[in-house]
Amino acid sequence: MAYLRRKLDDYLRNWRAAEERYPLIVRGARQVGKTASILEFARQNYEHVVYINFVEQPAYRQILADGYGTAEVIRNISRINPEFVFAPGTLLVFDEMQAFPDMATTLKFFKLDGRFDVICSGSLLGLNYHAIESNSVGYKTDVTLHSLDFEEFLWAKGYDDDFVTDMLSHMVEERPFRELEHRLLHRLFLDYCILGGMPAVVRTYIDRGTFEGTLAMQRQLLLDYEEDIRKYAVGLDQGRILRVFRQIPVQLARENKKFQISKVARGARFKDYFGCIEWLADAGIVNVCHALLTPELPLRGNYDAAKYKLYYADTGLLVASLDDETQTELRANGNLGVYKGALYENLVGEALKKCGYDLFYYKRENSTLEEDFFVRDQHSLVPVEVKATNNKAKSLATLVRSTHYPDIHYGIKLCAANIGQVDNIYTFPYYCTFLLRRYLQQRK
């Protein structure tokens, strides 16, 4: 089965090329492609690889019996499998580390020893770090892998880097796409919206050339997430986490998409459920969008922790969670707005998160002024409005024109329309969202 190119590939190559190389931990939600990327990198770059999966090979959970030192750990691994080669420069891969989080304590010793390269991976690692003796702070590097973004989806479809570079040049030069290009990208983006970015789902679609079997795979992934909640949510009310997770599509369908704990269960209170939202976010299952106290810089620390929106981390899984009637309207007619604009917001939130942005929105009390997202360039706060149609963005225009918001000089509107600019509001098609960070770095 063909390997899907990922942005993590370049990260791993740069990690190996670095003179000062720390043990690496690749984090991410279930089935986002961590193992496939690591093993492909190992195959291309190492003569000797030691691969251990702590879920499939539970015997290796005994390798710390004699302590955390490199010599003791290597000796115990070798005792279990004498065929492993431990020459200097060997890559050691410890997979599914959430099943054996104490392994993180050894990373300090592997770094100090210096003979081996080490990569660990697993889901829910942020949660499991709380239960271990030491997570080797200062002696490791962490990187998070998400499901495929739209650029990686384009790669899977056979489009190259020049195609993406041309998309970015259209944005920077404010040059609309030709109608044929616009229709092509819109159609590709609709497919991406329906499929999401889970590698197994995308690979099935690419291999078969149809959507056959993809919905069943997505719904199984949702069941797998619920199973993870039951399995790993130790010390928390698993029922509460499940109720929050299942409520996300329901609450996104409302006009006011702010997540309300009071709607989850009778008598539910924020203080009783806050840990549930944190658990889902740490697990990489949801994205949390915080409510700003006021639209100004800096963003961090300038929000109300009790007000937020919750989005699925993969829009394809949100689509799979919807009822059959909505599925039909979306798949048959390409109507993303059928779900009260929630799919658009989820798509944009997902893309911004994958660009490296934290998510923030703003709603002024006793007013219709509301903005979906905020990003920033070097000097400015940039409001981002998501429109299901190409009508006027009143809140965005207010924020840009008003003298009450000195950090805001221009805004971005994302909709189905082509590229344009009016009164310091820049319009881009949804399919350009993944390029926003690069656009903001290059715009004049």
Side-chain angles (χ1 to χ4, degrees):
M1 190 173 291
Y3 173 71
L4 297 180
R5 177 187 173 193
R6 305 299 305 274
K7 293 178 180 178
L8 182 64
D9 302 342
D10 288 336
Y11 184 95
L12 292 173
R13 283 190 288 269
N14 290 335
W15 170 79
R16 186 171 190 260
E19 186 174 340
E20 183 74 9
R21 195 156 54 249
Y22 288 79
L24 179 66
I25 295 185
V26 181
R27 302 166 49 162
R30 170 193 281 269
Q31 297 186 39
V32 294
K34 300 181 295 295
T35 302
S37 292
I38 293 167
L39 292 182
E40 178 67 13
F41 165 72
R43 184 185 67 79
Q44 293 185 8
N45 293 278
Y46 289 88
E47 181 180 359
H48 301 296
V49 177
V50 173
Y51 175 78
I52 293 172
N53 184 310
F54 289 118
V55 168
E56 297 177 359
Q57 302 164 298
Y60 286 99
R61 298 181 203 176
Q62 309 302 318
I63 59 178
L64 303 183
D66 298 321
Y68 298 107
T70 301
E72 290 80 11
V73 172
I74 293 300
R75 184 175 61 249
N76 285 336
I77 293 173
S78 182
R79 180 183 296 141
I80 296 171
N81 187 346
E83 302 302 315
F84 281 144
V85 175
F86 292 97
T90 294
L91 174 66
L92 308 181
V93 179
F94 299 112
D95 201 0
E96 301 286 6
M97 207 169 73
Q98 76 278 359
F100 190 46
D102 278 342
M103 196 64 202
T105 305
T106 70
L107 300 184
K108 173 181 179 180
F109 300 95
F110 275 108
K111 175 63 179 79
L112 294 174
D113 181 278
R115 287 178 294 160
F116 310 108
D117 288 347
V118 179
I119 300 179
C120 306
S121 72
S123 56
L124 308 165
L125 287 178
L127 308 171
N128 286 302
Y129 275 172
H130 303 317
I132 64 180
E133 182 172 333
S134 166
N135 66 9
S136 297
V137 173
Y139 294 92
K140 65 178 177 62
T141 300
D142 291 82
V143 62
T144 298
L145 181 66
H146 302 281
S147 62
L148 279 75
D149 67 7
F150 187 51
E151 182 172 12
E152 292 170 316
F153 179 78
L154 290 174
W155 292 343
K157 289 285 292 181
Y159 296 93
D160 59 15
D161 292 335
D162 290 340
F163 185 82
V164 175
T165 300
D166 183 63
M167 290 178 65
L168 179 60
S169 70
H170 276 274
M171 297 173 69
V172 173
E173 298 166 13
E174 299 174 30
R175 179 166 45 92
F177 292 98
R178 294 191 300 272
E179 187 58 32
L180 185 63
E181 292 177 308
H182 184 56
R183 287 201 304 269
L184 169 66
L185 283 162
H186 180 76
R187 186 173 68 250
L188 288 166
F189 192 69
L190 176 61
D191 288 353
Y192 173 70
C193 170
I194 293 170
L195 291 162
M198 302 305 281
V201 176
V202 174
R203 188 180 295 108
T204 296
Y205 162 78
I206 297 295
D207 290 345
R208 295 178 178 176
T210 70
F211 291 85
E212 177 190 352
T214 56
L215 179 57
M217 294 176 70
Q218 291 169 312
R219 287 180 168 167
Q220 183 58 52
L221 281 167
L222 290 170
L223 292 175
D224 290 343
Y225 281 161
E226 295 199 359
E227 182 59 31
D228 278 349
I229 292 170
R230 296 186 184 94
K231 184 176 181 180
Y232 292 109
V234 178
L236 286 170
D237 186 332
Q238 299 171 1
R240 288 179 180 176
I241 299 176
L242 284 169
R243 284 194 291 272
V244 169
F245 182 56
R246 292 168 180 169
Q247 268 285 307
I248 294 173
V250 177
Q251 298 212 24
L252 284 177
R254 298 163 53 238
E255 291 294 340
N256 176 15
K257 297 177 178 62
K258 185 184 78 171
F259 195 85
Q260 294 179 281
I261 290 295
S262 61
K263 303 292 185 183
V264 174
R266 185 183 299 274
R269 297 175 299 177
F270 171 76
K271 68 176 184 177
D272 297 325
Y273 277 81
F274 178 75
C276 302
I277 287 101
E278 187 179 42
W279 193 98
L280 289 166
D282 280 350
I285 295 173
V286 305
N287 292 326
V288 182
C289 185
H290 296 285
L292 289 176
L293 296 170
T294 181
E296 63 183 27
L297 296 172
L299 292 171
R300 293 186 178 180
N302 175 28
Y303 64 87
D304 185 341
K307 295 179 181 179
Y308 48 87
K309 298 179 183 180
L310 294 183
Y311 300 108
Y312 272 30
D314 185 272
T315 303
L317 296 184
L318 175 60
V319 170
S321 74
L322 303 179
D323 58 69
D324 291 341
E325 290 76 17
T326 305
Q327 292 271 341
T328 300
E329 180 69 12
L330 173 60
R331 292 171 182 270
N333 301 319
N335 184 8
L336 288 168
V338 68
Y339 190 46
K340 294 186 182 296
L343 290 178
Y344 289 110
E345 280 194 34
N346 205 98
L347 280 163
V348 171
E350 176 188 349
L352 293 178
K353 191 71 175 177
K354 289 176 177 178
C355 283
Y357 290 111
D358 291 326
L359 304 183
F360 300 95
Y361 76 99
Y362 178 68
K363 174 70 169 72
R364 191 163 71 189
E365 294 296 331
N366 303 316
S367 169
T368 58
L369 181 64
E370 182 173 9
E371 199 53 76
D372 299 313
F373 299 101
F374 290 85
V375 294
R376 64 165 302 171
D377 62 18
Q378 187 174 358
H379 306 290
S380 308
L381 179 64
V382 184
V384 177
E385 188 148 338
V386 182
K387 304 295 289 185
T389 58
N390 190 25
N391 53 6
K392 291 184 178 180
K394 295 180 180 179
S395 291
L396 183 58
T398 298
L399 289 170
V400 172
R401 289 196 304 259
S402 175
T403 59
H404 295 296
Y405 310 108
D407 291 330
I408 297 174
H409 305 120
Y410 63 96
I412 291 172
K413 181 174 74 172
L414 298 169
C415 62
N418 213 321
I419 292 173
Q421 190 268 123
V422 177
D423 297 332
N424 289 324
I425 294 176
Y426 297 82
T427 298
F428 298 113
Y430 292 113
Y431 53 72
C432 289
T433 308
F434 76 95
L435 288 166
L436 273 189
R437 182 178 284 275
R438 277 173 270 182
Y439 164 75
L440 293 174
Q441 291 170 343
Q442 293 190 27
R443 75 181 300 272
K444 298 176 182 178

